[in-house]
Amino acid sequence: MGAAGKPVLGAKVRAPRVNAFRRERLHDLLDTVWQHRLALVVAPAGSGKTTLLAQFAAGAGHPVAWYRAEPADASAAAAVAHLERGLVAGFGLAGGWTDVDDVIQALDCWEGDRGLIAVDDLHAVWGTEAEATLERLLEHLPPGIAMVAGTRRAPGFNLSRLRVSNQVIEMGPDELRFRSWEVERLFHDFYGEPLAPDEQAELARRTEGWAAALQLFHLATRGKGPAERRRVLNELGMRWRLVREYLARNVLDELPLHVRDFLLQTCVLGRLNPALCDAVTGATSSSALLAELEQRQIFTAALDDEGAYRYHEVLRSHLEAVLLETVGEVEARARYRRAGQLLEGHGHLPEALRAYCRAGDWDAATGLLGGRGEQVIDKPGEWIEALPAALLDQDPWLLLASARRNVALGRWRAAIESYDRAEAASGHGQPAAMARRERQTVAAWFEEPGPASGDWTSFLRRAVVRDPAGLTQREAGRLTGAGGALASAVAILLAGHVETAATRLEAVASRADATAVLALGARVAALVARLLAGRPAGADGPALMEAAERADVPWLAALVKAVVAAEAGSAHQAAGAALGKDDEWGRPLAQLLVGLGRLGKGEDVGHQLLEAAEGFQALGASVLEAWARAGAGLSMVRTGDPGATVAVGRAASVSRQAAVPGPVALAGLASAIVDHGAGSEPAARARGGLAELGLCFAAPATGGERRDGSGPRRPPRAHGLAVWCFGPTVVQLDGELVDLSSIKPRVRSLLRLLALHAGRPVHRDHLVDSLWPAEGDARVGTRNLQVAVSSLRQLLEPGVARGAAAVVVREGDTYRLALGPGTLDLALFDEHLAVARSARSAGDDEAAGNHLGCALDLYRGELLADEGAAEWVLAERDRYRLQAADASHARAAMLLAAGQPKAAAAEADRGLRIDAYRDDLWRLLISAHRRSGDPAAATKAQRRYEGVLRDLGVTPSS
């Protein structure tokens, strides 16, 4: 709001500055808009649409016109007026338009290569002239200009035509949903307050990845202890005031009364279809209302193509709380009881059981379990956790379902206990036999392997003990079906024949008789084979994580996460966080996969792999122990660890006894390096042996070549031209500083403007318009440019006549500076930020922090400070200032999360010198001082912050 309380209209045509977690998955998808015409982001309130669009606009690297629609913009004239303001500000167009055709004509004449039109809150003008105006503009956008739009409901555009012509990419609520691994990174990397694996999983489940709920949870738990965080997590359902207020104000209050009433009546159904909703409401309009809810994006997800839906978990919890407050406990119970009867009649048994439990109708619940218990628990997913403990602890079918759920979560001991209780509770009934059989399968992984049998899981248990390749040959005839094929392929992988294993595993995943989970397991194992072969997972890793989560196999999803982390580079942290501490198999497996993956990149993972080896030794898994010890030995040799010789000897012994070719070859390489050196003939032969198996564990750089991730901190003294643009301009030619005072101010400005474009060609007209805007005659401006170029060449190219390369290069109607790699601080700054982003995506905080520090060291002051308020530099100056402040905040948060509060405070203070109005940096500075045990510094920072707020006309909160 402005000083007089009026809306600040500039916010409608200026992208908001956002400081939010960047999800590369979404940006990669959105970036394909340049190959289309429109990117449409359709999702409910609080899904992160505005944040995504603003981040994409800020990093587009091209002119951006921003327009945030409002209901008051319904007319075509209003839409054109706001588009004009955005395009004039973003594209530098002249304006003066009366209708959309004028806009189209102006864009046709624009000389830029690429440009972006971003429309936020498009739903605000749904069905109006303004929407039609935007559709017409979209239809006539010239090549190189794309539109991105965020909206709560699909627009009235002719989307079918855009889809057929491949001119639109669409992102919905499922794309915007935070995946479980993104929730982990959000709290660990961005908020700097990591969650325990069980808290992370529960938060992701309760919020279903809804961005607003995650943000509200962070605000409610920021700086709080584990007990308070657990309390808030437990209240995420019906009782959580913050979410309820958000939904009421931003979602439900905007709906017509009959739609709100429909939501309230049908929330008792866990699964919705027209027939069920008609029965509950006593109406016949449910089909249209469900379709309207989906179109309006009111947290309603389609379950199939036959009209079945469900409400988002957060919305359903809110509606249930409102229902209870509105009709009272007695009536609410009656409605749930009726819903249970309807759901049972339609065959939706888990939903019916939950409804009976919400009704407190234990006779109906136990009757359903007694008569159709096996069908109820057919797919034991998260619904089990919503049932009351009194029922879960007594019913044999639910105990069996709990055991299966614990298996999926990797809670092996808890699963065995639940199987035992299910067997005891059912006596001689059907659940007892099923529980006994499944318990024996799970318990076998904690006992000495039994004799050979036709069961493929039993075969795998023996394959992790000794000689997996030989076992496969001996028992090939016993292994039948897709399960047998999977077990055989995994045994080949355990032996170390990774290429053969990968081929077989991919074939298993395609078999017609493979269940969905079995095929998924084959794809995960194939991913591991690719990891050991040194082949990148690419997009397959995240896709498999998501597939495992959709299949509701969290344990498998966590293993994929470890593989992805192994490739990306977050060794110790990822291995520890991937699975819970009580997962006796999953934890060492995660450590092994991450360790072997990072071993190929030369990292020090010796002690992490030794920890995994001890875990496998306790489980009697000598084959996996051999892999871990061999990898540990090679890592310790490379890093010069004093215990390397002993570790290598132990690895060789275990590997030979377990008869595993892969670890034998790996330990052989480590031994050859110890005895003869890394460059010796024996070491070369050992590497050849690994290559024959298809294994890739490339040796790292040695001595001074070893990288620490820090990179250069400033342009080097190199032959040619080097320019510093941050702070006062500094120019270096062939290693010597250039005195710029000998040339005229406009010539210096020409140098800076060319440097700002980082060696890319700049059109003559742009140079003239920027530096000589007052010249009425284009010929005069061009002549001035030619004179300035000549003066610049005289300064920078004294050796051209003697055959030296030109520094100021003309190419047709464009000019550019000939800059080599590493000779421009702007390019280095951008490069370090890009590497930092990649490292953060990979979970490698150390490398990310190093590169952020390098970028900030390059930021010596605001961009081209000598140019003052020259119009052509202002936008770029603001952009770099924002990036530098963001980098400082990110690095400070990392330092704080790593237990370095003093360093975090110093970094936050540096960030505030860059941008004194960053609330997040002030808060982080205060928090860092408090954590470092310096309350006086925290109080001083708090007072400085309050002074800044008062300068802005904001009253500090008490």
Side-chain angles (χ1 to χ4, degrees), residues 35-46:
Q35 286 77 55
H36 301 80
R37 183 182 295 267
L38 170 68
L40 195 59
V41 184
V42 188

Side-chain angles (χ1 to χ4, degrees), residues 720-794:
L721 183 68
V723 184
W724 286 261
C725 294
F726 288 121
T729 310
V730 177
V731 177
Q732 192 181 72
L733 187 63
D734 294 337
E736 300 297 328
L737 291 177
V738 176
D739 182 9
L740 299 181
S741 64
S742 61
I743 55 177
K744 295 180 179 180
R746 291 292 176 87
V747 181
R748 292 198 292 270
S749 293
L750 173 62
L751 169 64
R752 295 173 188 132
L753 181 51
L754 290 172
L756 182 59
H757 286 78
R760 295 186 297 271
V762 187
H763 197 276
R764 175 189 61 199
D765 293 346
H766 178 66
L767 294 171
V768 171
D769 291 343
S770 298
L771 301 178
W772 293 276
E775 302 292 349
D777 190 339
R779 291 174 298 178
V780 175
T782 301
R783 186 164 57 250
N784 288 336
L785 173 62
Q786 292 169 345
V787 172
V789 168
S790 177
S791 299
L792 191 56
R793 282 175 170 163
Q794 289 176 24

Side-chain angles (χ1 to χ4, degrees), residues 884-899:
D886 285 346
S888 184
H889 177 269
R891 187 166 186 266
M894 288 178 188
L895 290 167
L896 192 60

